[in-house]
Amino acid sequence: MATHASSSVPKVSTNQPVWVLFTLAFIFVSSRFAVRHLKSLRARRGLPYPPGPRPLPIIGNATDVPTTMMGQRFKEMTDKYGDIVYLDALGQPMIILGSHEAALELLDKRSANYSDRQHSAMRELAGWEWTFVLMPYGLPWRRRRKELHQFFHPNAVAQYQPLQQREAVKFLKKLLEKPDTFLHQVRHSFASTIMRISYGIEVKDEDDQYVAAVETGVATFNEAFVPGAFLVETFPILKHLPGWCPGAGFKRTVAAWKDIAHNMRDAPFEKTMESWAKGAAEQSIATTIMENAQGKDDSDISEERIVARDVSALAYAAGADTTISTVQTFFMAMACYPEVQAKARVELDAVVGPNRLPSFEDRDSLPYITAIAKESMRWQSVVPLGIPHRSLEDDEFNGYYIPKGSTVIANLYAFSRNERVYPEPEIFNPERFLKDGKINPEVQDPNAFVFGYGRRVCPGRHFAEASLFIMIASVLHTLTIDSAVDERGKPVAPEAKMTYGVISYPVPFPCSIKARSPGYAVLIHAGLAQSD
């Protein structure tokens, strides 16, 4: 799991001493504030900024921007001021969106203006310059997006179903053998699937070097891009400090992170290219892009190789980790809500029966399983703030002025906690998505916001939904998840708590996992034999 993988990742304190640069920083902020103020007076044309906390001179709302529990704190702001809140942090305008409707209007309907990303010094320093998740809107981003789409649009995703189903059965077997390692097995199962699709690499059951490289790489991402964690994001000039200077300790950390991020990107790709050159590579994203590039000029081939390298790594890094967290959240929910498992099995027993495993063909006949998947995505926010967008031009919304260059944050945590849409949001309740035994289209589908908005929507969302369905259906059909027991035999219910980071994961928790009956254990082994 990511918390384990990140334990070996170099860390740095976010409270870095920068007193040496105090005067320089003050001048920088003051001039930035003055320039922005003059520009905004000309552009606003009498329109007010959206409401928000009262700013202080020079530093604006810097002290109002939370450094922990940002989803909760920003929700408190939008509850107080409305669906759109304005902050000016050290001259940087920020727009906090507190409702799905506001995010849909700006980030989706006006995506031409809101598809950019803020410049990030950490993107370069920490070795993530290649990931299109953080790339500015432009040709390199569009090219990688186009390539990812061809492999993960709805029709393309169907070709991966046999692999997803086979990996789900292998996952069940590992849960029978090593139930205490279920959090790790969730991660390993997804890694195995994605590595096969991206690189044609079949990973080892344990201690696979490529899985380890990806896990460690994603862990550095999760630490590097927490808003406010690194002052160099606010003051890019800090990246020029020599390593011995007070306030530059972060440079040693990010140098190590850069090597980790590049190894994650490069190691499996180079392995695949070696096999491809020998004619021994399995078909994959990497080989398909390279095959399509044959016949081009040498310079074009070199560019295609870079694109193939980046896109193959992005297929894992851009989406799989969020799905991993959602499946781990599902296990936490089942340990807390055994009645949900009981209802799911009534449906599974009626549709699937005791003599086979669930398949994708059963999907339309299993609305309660689909509802569990939706509730797993809603119940605990995996990416609480999404990835912030940036406005390319001045804009007006509901009579308010939004400046060019604003950081726009869609607070997905708040969307998932909207009591008008999801009554009693802290309770795991799949039935909120059902009506008369079918999925109720009148209830807001969390898929509409958990995967992002507009041109920045996650390209792997259809693959993620399919993976989530087959994992949940397979587990509930064959296994029982219970609370762990203490030394006196008393149940210990897990605490529904998430880690803090760009991607959040369930805090490690114990639970009991076993086959529903000996017959279902036999069914798992039979299913594995059939898939080999």
Side-chain angles (χ1 to χ4, degrees):
M1 55 179 298
T3 51
H4 173 76
S6 63
S7 62
S8 61
V9 174
K11 297 177 182 290
V12 65
S13 169
T14 59
N15 299 315
Q16 303 165 43
V18 289
W19 55 268
V20 173
L21 297 172
F22 177 78
T23 302
L24 181 62
F26 181 80
I27 294 172
F28 173 79
V29 173
S30 299
S31 61
R32 186 176 179 179
F33 176 85
V35 170
R36 187 172 294 280
H37 180 67
L38 290 174
K39 286 183 177 180
S40 69
L41 287 177
R42 291 194 294 267
R44 286 168 61 186
R45 301 175 184 174
L47 292 175
Y49 289 118
R54 186 179 182 85
L56 297 172
I58 305 301
I59 66 170
N61 299 110
T63 59
D64 295 309
V65 179
T67 56
T68 61
M69 300 178 68
M70 297 182 79
Q72 293 93 318
R73 300 289 86 83
F74 281 144
K75 182 179 184 300
E76 291 169 4
M77 287 186 192
T78 52
D79 286 345
K80 180 177 181 180
Y81 296 106
D83 284 352
I84 180 169
V85 168
Y86 178 79
L87 301 172
D88 187 316
L90 301 173
Q92 173 59 53
M94 298 177 64
I95 303 294
I96 313 302
L97 303 177
S99 72
H100 170 61
E101 291 72 23
L104 198 64
E105 176 62 36
L106 292 182
L107 306 182
D108 195 82
K109 295 182 181 179
R110 307 185 193 183
S111 60
N113 191 40
Y114 292 95
S115 293
D116 201 16
R117 298 290 196 214
Q118 286 290 355
H119 171 77
S120 169
M122 286 295 291
R123 175 173 165 256
E124 302 287 337
L125 292 171
W128 289 91
E129 72 285 347
W130 54 274
T131 174
F132 93 127
V133 174
L134 301 174
M135 275 184 181
Y137 186 70
L139 184 59
W141 177 84
R142 289 196 295 269
R143 175 63 204 285
R144 284 155 179 77
R145 170 78 183 196
K146 179 181 178 181
E147 292 291 350
L148 276 170
H149 177 74
Q150 74 162 307
F151 295 106
F152 289 105
H153 63 76
N155 292 333
V157 164
Q159 69 182 302
Y160 307 131
Q161 289 182 358
L163 176 60
Q164 289 173 300
Q165 187 139 5
R166 183 163 62 249
E167 289 297 332
V169 181
K170 290 168 64 177
F171 175 62
L172 297 177
K173 179 176 178 290
K174 290 176 182 177
L175 292 181
L176 286 180
E177 295 172 344
K178 300 178 180 179
D180 293 341
T181 66
F182 70 97
L183 291 175
H184 167 72
Q185 298 303 342
V186 170
R187 179 169 293 280
H188 189 278
S189 179
F190 275 95
S192 181
T193 304
I194 294 294
M195 281 292 175
R196 198 74 176 266
I197 292 170
S198 292
Y199 303 105
I201 294 175
E202 186 163 0
V203 304
K204 300 176 183 176
D205 284 344
E206 299 293 339
D207 301 322
D208 185 88
Q209 61 173 319
Y210 302 117
V211 173
V214 171
E215 288 187 9
T216 311
V218 171
T220 69
F221 181 92
N222 209 27
E223 292 194 49
F225 298 101
V226 174
F230 290 89
L231 285 173
V232 71
E233 293 284 54
T234 304
F235 305 110
I237 195 172
L238 293 179
K239 68 183 179 181
H240 300 297
L241 285 176
W244 51 264
C245 185
F250 73 94
K251 296 190 75 174
R252 291 186 293 274
T253 298
V254 297
W257 285 359
K258 187 171 188 174
D259 290 341
I260 290 170
H262 284 183
N263 181 59
M264 164 192 167
R265 177 196 66 187
D266 298 342
F269 180 75
E270 293 303 327
K271 169 69 173 177
T272 297
M273 288 298 96
E274 289 176 10
S275 299
W276 183 64
K278 299 173 183 177
E282 184 177 314
Q283 195 72 25
S284 65
I285 291 175
T287 60
T288 298
I289 294 176
M290 292 304 297
E291 286 168 2
N292 292 341
Q294 297 308 295
K296 294 186 177 181
D297 294 337
D298 289 346
S299 60
D300 292 332
I301 287 287
S302 296
E303 176 62 26
E304 292 296 310
R305 187 182 178 93
I306 292 173
V307 171
R309 178 200 67 188
D310 293 356
V311 170
S312 301
L314 284 166
Y316 186 98
D321 229 54
T322 55
T323 310
I324 288 166
S325 178
T326 303
V327 174
Q328 292 177 347
T329 297
F330 155 74
F331 276 87
M332 182 167 65
M334 294 305 97
C336 293
Y337 295 88
E339 68 277 11
V340 172
Q341 292 186 71
K343 293 177 181 178
R345 290 192 188 100
V346 170
E347 181 177 80
L348 285 161
D349 289 347
V351 173
V352 180
N355 299 319
R356 66 177 179 90
L357 295 171
S359 70
F360 284 101
E361 286 71 26
D362 300 314
R363 196 171 182 178
D364 292 341
S365 303
L366 296 171
Y368 194 78
I369 299 300
T370 300
I372 290 175
K374 294 182 185 299
E375 184 70 339
S376 296
M377 287 188 283
R378 183 210 66 83
W379 185 48
Q380 301 293 339
S381 297
V382 172
V383 188
L385 302 178
I387 304 294
H389 294 232
R390 176 181 179 272
S391 60
L392 290 167
E393 300 293 341
D394 293 333
D395 199 9
E396 179 270 330
F397 178 63
N398 286 352
Y400 296 120
Y401 169 67
I402 299 176
K404 174 183 177 180
S406 293
T407 297
V408 184
I409 295 176
N411 187 3
L412 308 187
Y413 173 87
F415 305 173
S416 72
R417 293 297 182 272
N418 187 336
E419 294 190 3
R420 298 190 307 274
V421 179
Y422 307 117
E424 298 183 296
E426 299 302 326
I427 295 176
F428 188 91
N429 178 22
E431 293 182 31
R432 69 174 79 247
F433 296 105
L434 297 171
K435 183 178 181 180
D436 300 327
K438 298 179 181 179
I439 295 295
N440 184 0
E442 297 179 2
V443 177
Q444 186 178 98
D445 190 339
N447 292 358
F449 58 82
V450 298
F451 292 113
Y453 290 91
R455 299 175 188 179
R456 289 285 183 171
V457 68
C458 175
R461 63 195 183 279
H462 305 295
F463 179 83
E465 290 180 53
S467 295
L468 194 57
F469 166 79
I470 199 63
M471 294 282 272
I472 289 175
S474 299
V475 167
L476 290 178
H477 188 56
T478 59
L479 304 175
T480 297
I481 305 168
D482 291 319
S483 297
V485 295
D486 60 21
E487 62 276 4
R488 292 172 293 182
K490 293 184 178 180
V492 180
E495 182 181 5
K497 189 175 181 181
M498 304 291 282
T499 62
Y500 179 69
V502 178
I503 303 172
S504 295
Y505 305 87
V507 171
F509 62 94
C511 67
S512 169
I513 301 173
K514 56 187 178 183
R516 286 178 63 185
S517 71
Y520 282 99
V522 172
L523 186 61
I524 291 171
H525 287 94
L528 188 63
Q530 292 173 5
S531 66
D532 289 340

